[in-house]
Amino acid sequence: MGLDYKWVLWNSHKKTYDRGIALGMGIYLILFFVISFWVNPEITAETVIIRAFGSLAILMLHIILAIGPLSRLNTNFLPVLYNRRHLGVSMFFAALIHGVFAVIQFHSLGDVHPITSVFTSNMDYGSLTNFPFQVLGFLALLILFTMAATSHDFFLHNLSPRIWKGLHMMVYGAYALVIMHVFLGAFQQETSGFTIVALCLGFLLLISLHLTAAFKEARTDNFIGEKEAEGWLRVCHPNEVIESRAKIFTVSGERVAIFKHQGKLSAIHNVCKHQGGPLGEGKIVDGCVTCPWHGYQYLPHNGQSPPPFTEKVKTYALKIEKDMIHIHPKAFPEGTAVIPLSGVS
Amino acid sequence: MIATQRRMHLVIWILIAVVLPVVMLLAVKDLHVLDTAGNTVAEIAPLSVSRRGRSVTVQVDTPLKSAASIVYEMDADGNKGSVLGQLKGRGNYTFLISPKTKGIYIIDAIKNVELLKIEF
């Protein structure tokens, strides 16, 4: 969390994360260069650069797209999610180097502008098999640029989390373009089956992870509790909520996290105001509900970030009847204080 | 994420899972990628070859799809002999050949496939 604009709010976790990114990228590139020149000594440096950075960008894109569902399926992956934006920006730079060298190598020696050449060197737009795959890569690079350029919290705050998230969901369009770029390129210009097999395996892995996570989430969404008088929903026994942790329920189509803090229960909207992180999967640290994604904090009894921060989430009324927790589905306005429910073990 | 975004994620990934494989299959269905008999000789390149005395001229009218088209002489036994040169784009390419040369091969050096084989 930050009060004023800073280029990067560095902390030890982010520095460690970024060192890991730099180290991983460096090792991959060195291995790629060594193996390429060892296997094919006649290969040119430009070709190796294009292939090394292109394959690195695709690998990173797969890792980035896998982090979200992996974190939803297993909370041990949450630390990898923490600084995913830096991973995304690093991936964009790898893709940019690939694109720039490819344009220089294949499109800059003619009598038309290199960018024009990308779109006109192969005009077989009517064919699916011979479709100009370079154009797909160029469009994917434009999307990745838009995302990298707007990745900072400055844009997140000014565009609103909902619009920002929608904008950044364009990554799926970029992924589809990249897949077809590599797939068609491999068939049009390569003979090695390795690229195709690796691409298909990565595709299957991502599809499996995302659909598994999505159906798991759908099961949670479909749990609506048992409706009782005056609209109250009976959800669970108080002992099912662990101290300093939460249990998540779906109420009126939205998720609510019921936290237990010092033996008292409070219910807040499950969605963090920062990037939509699942507050109920976090825990209470220093008396505050702490988002597992980026550490944004909220007081459990009123859903407000501790001063001087200003983020607020909705709160909900709770009651205990017949030894069961009941929640009222009508949310209070964001930041409304609700007396925590005491008398629970 | 809010419920709408979760639903949108699910819809997007179902679409990707269905549409991309279909597009991939449609893209390669005419390639006969499993037909090994067709892999040794590529389609006829858009060029013409003429011999005059101890020289052979290759006329390339439209740019070749192959990025590295190497011209080899065909020796007396019909095998691939020494390299005569490389075709880089549109134009006329003239190469000196020995009296024993029976023809030429044009090979895509990257894919290692034969583009053209001509006997004089």
Side-chain angles (χ1 to χ4, degrees), chain A residues 197-260:
Chain A
V197 171
L199 193 74
C200 290
L201 286 177
F203 176 73
L204 288 174
L205 181 72
L206 280 187
I207 292 291
S208 310
L209 281 174
H210 276 273
L211 291 183
T212 306
F215 286 121
K216 183 192 170 199
E217 300 274 320
R219 277 198 297 276
T220 309
D221 281 340
N222 291 335
F223 177 83
I224 53 170
E226 290 180 43
K227 216 169 208 174
E228 299 206 337
E230 297 172 15
W232 288 88
L233 291 173
R234 190 175 64 181
V235 284
C236 69
H237 190 275
N239 286 346
E240 290 181 52
V241 186
I242 302 165
E243 176 64 31
S244 296
R245 296 278 184 174
K247 207 161 164 62
I248 301 168
F249 299 97
T250 303
V251 174
S252 299
E254 280 300 341
R255 290 186 183 178
V256 174
I258 300 178
F259 275 93
K260 188 185 279 183

Side-chain angles (χ1 to χ4, degrees), chain A residues 14-50:
Chain A
K14 281 187 183 172
K15 285 178 182 172
T16 306
Y17 195 107
D18 284 12
R19 277 192 212 106
I21 295 173
L23 186 69
M25 292 174 76
I27 290 172
Y28 179 88
L29 291 171
I30 289 168
L31 282 176
F32 197 101
F33 272 73
V34 169
I35 292 171
S36 294
F37 282 112
W38 182 47
V39 171
N40 185 3
E42 293 172 6
I43 199 167
T44 64
E46 293 90 340
T47 302
V48 181
I49 288 171
I50 291 168

Side-chain angles (χ1 to χ4, degrees), chain B:
Chain B
M1 281 189 290
I2 56 174
T4 319
Q5 288 167 341
R6 280 196 297 277
R7 275 195 297 275
M8 201 179 291
H9 268 87
L10 178 60
V11 170
I12 287 172
W13 279 102
I14 288 175
L15 277 177
I16 288 176
V18 173
V19 173
L20 273 187
V22 170
V23 174
M24 286 176 181
L25 284 175
L26 290 175
V28 299
K29 73 177 173 59
D30 297 327
L31 289 179
H32 307 294
V33 287
L34 299 176
D35 182 4
T36 51
N39 285 347
T40 51
V41 180
E43 60 183 279
I44 300 297
L47 47 78
S48 56
V49 179
S50 58
R51 180 187 183 184
R52 175 174 284 184
R54 289 190 58 193
S55 71
V56 62
T57 299
V58 180
Q59 185 181 335
V60 181
D61 296 323
T62 56
L64 299 169
K65 284 185 178 178
S66 161
S69 307
I70 310 296
V71 184
Y72 291 85
E73 67 174 347
M74 185 191 296
D75 63 22
D77 299 326
N79 298 321
K80 194 170 75 176
S82 56
V83 173
L84 295 176
Q86 182 177 1
L87 307 179
K88 293 181 177 175
R90 275 180 294 196
N92 292 329
Y93 298 82
T94 301
F95 307 106
L96 283 177
I97 54 174
S98 72
K100 293 179 181 174
T101 301
K102 277 180 66 179
I104 62 167
Y105 287 101
I106 300 176
I107 307 288
D108 181 333
I110 295 175
K111 296 178 181 174
N112 200 26
V113 293
E114 188 181 297
L115 298 174
L116 192 68
K117 174 186 174 184
I118 287 189
E119 282 191 61
F120 303 132

